[in-house]
Amino acid sequence: DTGVSQDPRHKITKRGQNVTFRCDPISEHNRLYWYRQTLGQGPEFLTYFQNEAQLEKSRLLSDRFSAERPKGSFSTLEIQRTEQGDSAMYLCASSLVLAGNTGELFFGEGSRLTVL
Amino acid sequence: DAKTTQPNSMESNEEEPVHLPCNHSTISGTDYIHWYRQLPSQGPEYVIHGLTSNVNNRMASLAIAEDRKSSTLILHRATLRDAAVYYCILRDGGTSGSRLTFGEGTQLTVNP
């Protein structure tokens, strides 16, 4: 297993364009999380899935953001009509949550978005 | 979410022990104390977690105060590879798999 993988690693786009990021979690993990991180700050929670169900969304996730995990495996995060303020590192994490365990999160290396 | 307070930065010398403090005076009875770290240009990685008792693993030790209002992450012999931002996070154990809420963490510098 190669861990959590994210694609693309870097994306440069012009303001107003749409972008999509993909996350492939560790194969048996049932939880998948998206975070956003700007320079000098800790990661900020965006949303998470239990299998294919989206269980929680942060108020940071405006209507321009949408996330899916259609088959309970990989996930996509789409940002429509990008703004310069969307420039950040987008981190994906997965975990295996079972009764009695605490489900540590395994993070990918992130997808860095630059909006010009 | 219950909040944690950490120093913005700390410095250590290679091969010396490092004690990273965390205050969490509003911790609830079901909150676990988690530590993650983030190496440069990487996503965060799990270090250790505990509830009440001190914990040891291959990466570090976690010392938890008796009243649980503070804790200390101990790196027994710092290496250059331990230079990272260390996050102390409270996670509600009553809702398994709940999200982590990161603060700004402590930037650890390790001098050769």
Side-chain angles (χ1 to χ4, degrees):
Chain A
D1 193 342
T2 56
V4 177
S5 62
Q6 294 188 241
D7 183 72
R9 294 291 312 281
H10 303 274
K11 178 71 175 179
I12 300 173
T13 191
K14 292 182 179 179
R15 184 167 54 92
Q17 298 295 303
N18 298 342
V19 297
T20 299
F21 301 113
R22 176 181 169 120
C23 172
D24 286 274
I26 293 172
S27 58
E28 69 270 22
H29 283 187
N30 52 7
R31 288 267 172 114
L32 188 146
Y33 308 77
W34 284 100
Y35 283 80
R36 180 176 70 185
Q37 186 173 27
T38 54
L39 199 62
Q41 303 296 314
E44 296 173 296
F45 169 77
L46 292 178
T47 187
Y48 83 88
F49 293 83
Q50 167 82 17
N51 299 316
E52 67 274 10
Q54 190 171 17
L55 294 190
E56 186 178 355
K57 292 195 294 186
S58 163
R59 63 181 181 278
L60 293 175
L61 213 66
S62 76
D63 57 4
R64 297 186 298 106
F65 288 70
S66 62
E68 293 182 341
R69 194 182 183 200
K71 298 181 180 178
S73 56
F74 74 91
S75 176
T76 57
L77 176 68
E78 181 183 16
I79 309 173
Q80 296 181 326
R81 305 181 304 280
T82 53
E83 302 172 355
Q84 288 182 327
D86 297 331
S87 296
M89 178 73 82
Y90 290 85
L91 292 162
C92 176
S94 69
S95 69
L96 178 63
V97 176
L98 300 171
N101 83 338
T102 56
E104 74 180 78
L105 272 62
F106 294 81
F107 283 83
E109 294 190 335
S111 293
R112 180 167 295 285
L113 173 66
T114 301
V115 181
L116 302 176
Chain B
D1 296 320
K3 291 189 181 297
T4 63
T5 304
Q6 300 178 252
N8 288 335
S9 62
M10 291 187 65
E11 205 166 320
S12 174
N13 296 320
E14 198 174 8
E15 298 190 4
E16 290 185 356
V18 181
H19 291 232
L20 297 164
C22 181
N23 288 320
H24 28 78
S25 58
T26 59
I27 191 170
S28 74
T30 58
D31 284 336
Y32 282 76
I33 302 157
H34 286 247
W35 285 82
Y36 281 71
R37 72 179 186 180
Q38 188 170 20
L39 303 171
S41 301
Q42 294 189 24
E45 65 175 346
Y46 169 82
V47 177
I48 200 167
H49 76 278
L51 183 62
T52 56
S53 304
N54 295 343
V55 184
N56 299 298
N57 67 19
R58 63 176 179 81
M59 290 181 70
S61 296
L62 177 59
I64 301 172
E66 197 169 333
D67 63 4
R68 300 210 325 127
K69 294 185 176 182
S70 65
S71 61
T72 303
L73 180 70
I74 302 166
L75 307 179
H76 295 285
R77 289 179 73 243
T79 69
L80 297 178
R81 195 192 173 277
D82 292 321
V85 178
Y86 287 78
Y87 297 100
C88 170
I89 302 165
L90 300 183
R91 193 182 195 194
D92 182 7
T95 51
S96 181
S98 61
R99 58 178 162 84
L100 298 175
T101 300
F102 290 81
E104 295 186 358
T106 297
Q107 173 70 63
L108 175 65
T109 300
V110 180
N111 300 313

